[in-house]
Amino acid sequence: MFKRLEMAPPDPILGLAEAFDNDPNPAKINLSIGVYKDAHGKTPILQTVKAAEEFILRHEATKSYLGIDGMPEYAAATRALIFGAGHPIVADRLAVTAHAPGGTGALRVAADLIRNVRGDAAVWVSQPTWPNHPSVFRAAGLRVNSYPYFDPATNSLAFAEMRAALEKIPAGDVVVLHGCCHNPTGIDPTPAQWAAIADVVAARELLPLFDFAYQGFGEGLREDAGGILGLWRPGGEMLIASSFSKNFGLYNERVGALTLVAGTAAAAQAALSHIKICIRANYSNPPAHGAKIITTILGSPELRAEWEEELTGMRGRIWEMRRRFVTGLAAQGVTRDFSFIARQHGMFSFTGLTKDQVRRLRDAYSIYIVDSGRINVAGLTETNLPVLCKAIAEVL
Ligand code: LMR
């Protein structure tokens, strides 16, 4: 079975973490994988997470299996976070939620569901997108196509091209949209552009599948859900893959969720029964710990308020690093206009550095960023920022 196998290519993001670990240079800097770091370059456990874990340790009474779709309280908390507690989707029970192992797990469940119920549908991803998107959908047996998203000439959204491409997608196909903090470009549609996207999606009868991994890292918890809410029309359908890796700092707990919005409450329940079939054949039922942490935090008014403060702190630090990145490059004598970095959203900055420049940053300076030129701005600190800016000035 295995004797003729050659080495598979490394993952474009996680593979870099391995290369970084093996780099002996003590001055190495890892700005590849999307992990938040504080001002000291550490990825701390949130205080609210620690408090919730202490509560769980004292009160948890069993480690018995959860249901296939996880804990109902967690599902309800996830929906309230996405839509807002009073939204008609919640009040009319038009959405169902299954707890999944991370945002990637949620995407895979969504992909399996689409394959099972509408196997001929193609999935359309933005160009560029998170490199794992096509892999996840293809692994489920789906066809993957792309629509234009990024205009390198202006470092902005190629909106006219995007809309024209969406208008040609066949009815019933799936469009993957990044709810906020587009990965890798950091460029999100404006409210007016979201409204235009909503019109096309409705007119073409496309199924929106939102990857929602950065809620709270862009403008704020509610603001970041604006694109999703704007796309919903009464009777409309959508899928949302949430991740809590970033906004709760729960990366290795693998905690996410798939939320499905249907036209009626009965249709949502029927769809949930199909989601459960996909989950049972994959990981059977979800791991509990991360979901218990989130349910504990969101269920306590004090912890929730404290968590929102922690989230605001992370968001503020990222914005500050963006501003300093722009001024730091100028201070190194870089004349190219990098002001767009301060306008992008979320963890990542799509710098426009070429593959060759990225390689030189890695080989000559042990600075690791993704081949596409994507830098994890949330990994910048006052210490590594000047080093990065100087190295970029030199490779430019
Ligand atoms: C990233 O894009 O760096 C993150 O979403 C982490 C991952 O799994 O790739």
Side-chain angles (χ1 to χ4, degrees):
M1 180 84 73
F2 308 121
K3 67 184 174 196
R4 286 196 199 86
L5 281 186
E6 288 176 10
M7 286 295 282
D11 180 81
I13 296 174
L14 296 181
L16 283 175
E18 288 167 27
F20 177 82
D21 288 343
N22 295 332
D23 188 333
N25 183 350
K28 60 189 177 179
I29 302 175
N30 188 3
L31 300 170
S32 54
I33 190 160
V35 171
Y36 176 85
K37 305 234 178 81
D38 66 13
H40 309 291
K42 299 269 177 288
T43 303
I45 301 175
L46 299 188
Q47 288 185 10
T48 45
V49 166
K50 275 287 182 205
E53 285 184 314
E54 279 166 20
F55 178 87
I56 293 164
L57 191 62
R58 279 201 305 277
H59 293 92
E60 192 171 49
T62 178
K63 293 283 186 190
S64 183
Y65 292 120
L66 298 183
I68 294 175
D69 51 341
M71 302 187 301
E73 309 90 305
Y74 173 74
T78 300
R79 288 191 292 270
L81 211 50
I82 301 171
F83 306 115
H87 195 278
I89 292 177
V90 175
D92 296 341
R93 297 174 190 211
L94 300 176
V96 287
T97 302
H99 166 191
T104 309
L107 287 168
R108 180 57 193 261
V109 174
D112 287 340
L113 175 73
I114 294 162
R115 176 84 175 118
N116 283 357
V117 302
R118 182 77 193 258
D120 60 338
V123 177
W124 296 75
V125 298
S126 61
Q127 175 54 42
T129 193
W130 183 49
N132 209 25
H133 275 153
S135 312
V136 169
F137 298 119
R138 287 196 188 114
L142 292 164
R143 281 178 299 131
V144 179
N145 298 319
S146 65
Y147 59 86
Y149 193 83
F150 178 65
D151 176 6
T154 57
N155 281 295
S156 60
L157 183 60
F159 186 67
E161 292 85 347
M162 176 188 180
R163 179 157 66 178
L166 295 183
E167 274 165 356
K168 293 199 195 95
I169 296 180
D173 276 4
V174 180
V175 181
V176 178
L177 298 160
H178 301 219
C180 67
C181 308
H182 183 269
N183 179 3
T185 67
I187 298 164
D188 293 331
T190 62
Q193 289 168 337
W194 274 123
I197 294 168
D199 287 342
V200 181
V201 164
R204 300 291 311 156
E205 298 186 345
L206 308 177
L207 178 70
L209 164 50
F210 283 96
D211 188 338
F212 201 31
Y214 302 94
Q215 188 179 8
F217 266 51
E219 303 277 347
L221 278 174
R222 293 279 21 102
E223 294 87 338
D224 292 351
I228 294 179
L229 297 189
L231 239 76
W232 181 73
R233 308 264 161 95
E237 298 179 344
M238 60 170 74
L239 290 165
I240 301 147
S242 301
S243 165
F244 298 118
S245 297
K246 323 288 180 273
N247 50 14
F248 283 85
L250 287 171
Y251 306 88
N252 68 17
E253 296 296 351
R254 310 307 301 135
V255 58
L258 177 65
T259 296
L260 178 149
V261 181
T264 64
Q269 287 304 322
L272 180 61
S273 69
H274 288 269
I275 289 176
K276 285 171 153 179
I277 286 180
C278 299
I279 292 173
R280 179 64 172 144
N282 186 347
Y283 52 87
S284 189
N285 48 65
H289 189 65
K292 286 190 177 169
I293 293 170
I294 287 168
T295 310
T296 305
I297 294 174
L298 296 180
S300 148
E302 294 80 27
L303 283 180
R304 172 159 185 146
E306 218 182 294
W307 167 67
E308 289 198 24
E309 272 174 36
E310 292 189 288
L311 182 59
T312 305
M314 290 193 277
R315 182 171 63 245
R317 205 190 84 75
I318 296 173
W319 279 116
E320 180 60 22
M321 284 299 121
R322 286 188 176 282
R323 277 191 291 275
R324 290 193 190 199
F325 194 7
V326 177
T327 52
L329 286 168
Q332 289 295 335
V334 172
T335 49
R336 193 197 285 184
D337 180 13
F338 277 105
S339 59
F340 60 86
I341 291 173
R343 293 190 295 273
Q344 296 166 333
H345 284 110
M347 291 185 114
F348 303 117
S349 187
F350 208 48
T351 56
L353 292 176
T354 64
K355 215 169 169 175
D356 187 45
Q357 289 162 340
V358 171
R359 283 282 148 81
R360 276 157 58 207
L361 284 178
R362 194 176 311 160
D363 297 343
Y365 304 90
S366 293
I367 295 175
Y368 288 74
I369 69 171
V370 181
D371 276 351
S372 61
R374 187 194 85 170
I375 289 182
N376 173 25
V377 187
L380 292 176
T381 63
E382 278 182 42
T383 315
N384 66 24
L385 186 63
V387 183
L388 174 73
C389 291
K390 190 159 183 288
I392 290 181
E394 282 166 12
V395 302
L396 282 175

